[in-house]
Amino acid sequence: MEAVKQKLEDELNELEEELHFKLPKEIQKAREFGDLRENAEYKAAMERQSIVMARITQVRKRIAEVKSIDLS
């Protein structure tokens, strides 16, 4: 169980780093290209941000489930 919990926590850390550090830079870079309505890079970065946020929610829920399991 500890291995599963550690794997989930590692994934959560990677996702949070991407959400808070990498994606904002990508979004800012994409904004510099101009018109956001026709900006594929901006749309892709925003879509990735939504996917990462959804996955963070899933991983946090799964970690809570794993912590609640009593093996004794």
Side-chain angles (χ1 to χ4, degrees), residues 1-50:
M1 262 312 136
E2 286 299 316
V4 171
K5 182 179 165 190
Q6 185 61 45
K7 184 177 177 183
L8 288 168
E9 288 177 352
D10 290 344
E11 181 181 358
L12 180 62
N13 290 335
E14 289 175 20
L15 289 167
E16 287 183 340
E17 180 179 335
E18 181 177 0
L19 180 67
H20 297 296
F21 298 105
K22 295 177 184 175
L23 282 172
K25 289 177 185 177
E26 287 182 30
I27 292 170
Q28 182 60 37
K29 184 178 177 183
R31 281 185 171 175
E32 293 172 1
F33 290 130
D35 189 9
L36 298 181
R37 292 174 294 174
E38 298 177 7
N39 190 329
E41 290 85 2
Y42 179 77
K43 289 179 183 178
M46 294 302 290
E47 187 174 309
R48 177 67 184 158
Q49 183 180 38
S50 295

Side-chain angles (χ1 to χ4, degrees), residues 49-64:
Q49 183 180 38
S50 295
I51 291 168
V52 168
M53 289 183 346
R55 182 65 183 150
I56 286 173
T57 302
Q58 290 174 337
V59 171
R60 284 184 178 159
K61 182 178 177 183
R62 188 71 178 136
I63 289 172

